[in-house]
Amino acid sequence: MMELGPLRQFLVVARLEHLSRAAEELHVAQPSLSRTIARLESELGTPLFDRSGRLRLNDAGKVFRGHVERALGELEAGRRAVAEVAGEGMGTVRLASETFLTLTGPLTAYRRAHPSVEVELHWSPAEDMARRLRAQDVDLCVASQPIHAEGLESVRLFDEVVGVGAPLDHPLAGRTSVRVDELVGQPFVAARKGHWQRRLLDRLFAALDRTPKIVCEVDELGTIAELIGAGLGIGLVPAFARRSTTQVPGVWIAVDDPGCRRTVTLHWGAGSHLSTAARLMRATITGWDWTTGQPRDERG
């Protein structure tokens, strides 16, 4: 019978595909982790990783990873369901997103309505969200780019145009719209790879067989507006940010390209057990009016 500890360690190695980094994250010695993976492979009767050069999860490992994620996820869901039945409150809700600036309104409303619920927020790139939902590592995910994966349910929250933010004294500041080819060579403040904003920027330039000139990479999208306002460069800014209460001085210019948009979607695992807290969070987010910035049932 397989023990849970080695399975959890396998998932970390499978995600990182690097033994030393996995050992560091797990706080175990690398030789001990190597032996754990070797014993697991021996028990299964087949290698789970290709070891020619860089460590890579092979086809058998990918199949096994899916089953392990689902199995451990169900155990965690069972633990949380029992805790809820035992009277430990409505439970905890774990929400992952690429940026939480968009979610400030519904999160504030949720905490006000349910002050006793513990809310865990996890930053996550879109490519990790399906895995985390299947493993029930998080309950809900909000993505600003498509997630193509089986076993998920979703609701589209809103779709909006994305424009270019520029400092007030920038040569483009007087324009109402701009073509992508006019942005070639301009200094961009951009998100790191994996963020929806960076993927959109790279995709727009790839259509011209060009690459953007990036002068600064950041982890949090809210920092982009601040750096644009400071005059470091221009950057992609969603229309939603124009309604933010913390706007940074600058101008917003429409991009003359129909693909310069983002679609924000809420995802959760199909058939997964959601705690009462998670179901209430889902209702709060799906019931939010993104135009007025308040719940739909509170519109005047």
Side-chain angles (χ1 to χ4, degrees):
M1 182 176 179
M2 294 184 180
E3 298 180 357
L4 298 182
L7 295 177
R8 292 192 175 98
Q9 292 185 352
F10 160 74
L11 288 182
V12 175
V13 178
R15 171 166 53 85
L16 298 176
E17 293 186 319
H18 198 286
L19 273 173
S20 61
R21 288 205 299 266
E24 182 178 353
E25 181 174 316
L26 290 164
H27 303 291
V28 299
Q30 182 175 332
S32 174
L33 182 59
S34 297
R35 289 193 295 270
T36 296
I37 298 300
R39 284 195 297 269
L40 190 58
E41 291 176 321
S42 176
E43 188 172 351
L44 290 168
T46 186
L48 300 172
F49 297 89
D50 291 330
R51 293 174 171 80
S52 54
R54 179 182 169 184
L55 190 71
R56 295 282 189 182
L57 195 66
N58 62 24
D59 290 342
K62 292 175 183 177
V63 170
F64 187 61
R65 177 182 59 185
H67 286 279
V68 173
E69 287 175 343
R70 289 189 292 272
L72 295 183
E74 282 300 313
L75 287 173
E76 173 60 18
R79 184 194 66 77
R80 298 177 71 213
V82 168
E84 189 175 350
V85 170
E88 296 183 11
M90 292 188 297
T92 301
V93 56
R94 303 160 302 171
L95 175 66
S97 181
E98 296 166 284
T99 176
F100 291 100
L101 291 175
T102 305
L103 300 169
T104 301
L107 286 174
T108 300
Y110 183 86
R111 291 305 303 268
R112 187 166 52 243
H114 311 289
S116 63
V117 173
E118 182 178 350
V119 178
E120 294 182 9
L121 301 179
H122 302 261
W123 179 83
S124 178
E127 59 262 31
D128 287 347
M129 289 183 178
R131 175 188 61 79
R132 299 191 72 173
L133 287 170
R134 285 194 300 266
Q136 301 194 45
D137 178 40
V138 294
D139 303 303
L140 306 166
C141 289
V142 176
S144 296
Q145 52 189 299
I147 298 179
H148 303 292
E150 296 181 356
L152 301 184
E153 294 187 33
S154 62
V155 170
R156 192 176 79 165
L157 301 178
F158 63 91
D159 179 85
E160 66 172 354
V161 297
V162 177
V164 170
L168 291 172
D169 59 353
H170 194 276
L172 296 173
R175 300 278 295 274
T176 57
S177 66
V178 63
R179 301 188 311 274
V180 177
D181 64 292
E182 296 179 278
L183 302 176
V184 174
Q186 290 285 347
F188 270 87
V189 179
R192 296 188 186 276
K193 289 185 178 297
H195 284 268
W196 72 265
Q197 188 258 31
R198 178 61 175 274
R199 289 192 174 193
L200 176 57
L201 179 64
D202 289 342
R203 187 166 66 248
L204 290 172
F205 274 73
L208 301 177
D209 198 25
R210 304 294 293 270
T211 56
K213 178 183 178 182
I214 297 175
V215 296
C216 182
E217 289 185 333
V218 300
D219 289 316
E220 177 51 56
L221 299 184
T223 309
I224 293 177
E226 296 181 7
L227 295 176
I228 291 172
L232 270 69
I234 64 175
L236 293 184
V237 177
F240 187 91
R242 302 173 69 190
R243 303 190 296 272
S244 171
T245 57
T246 57
Q247 291 189 43
V248 176
V251 296
W252 189 89
I253 309 162
V255 177
D256 189 15
D257 188 303
C260 196
R261 313 182 62 87
R262 72 162 175 163
T263 300
V264 180
T265 307
L266 175 68
H267 299 269
W268 63 93
S272 62
H273 172 81
L274 292 179
S275 66
T276 301
R279 293 196 299 272
L280 289 171
M281 176 66 82
R282 181 175 62 186
T284 300
I285 294 175
T286 56
W288 194 256
D289 189 316
W290 304 94
T291 301
T292 64
Q294 60 183 333
R296 290 194 178 94
D297 58 4
E298 293 183 8
R299 292 178 296 181

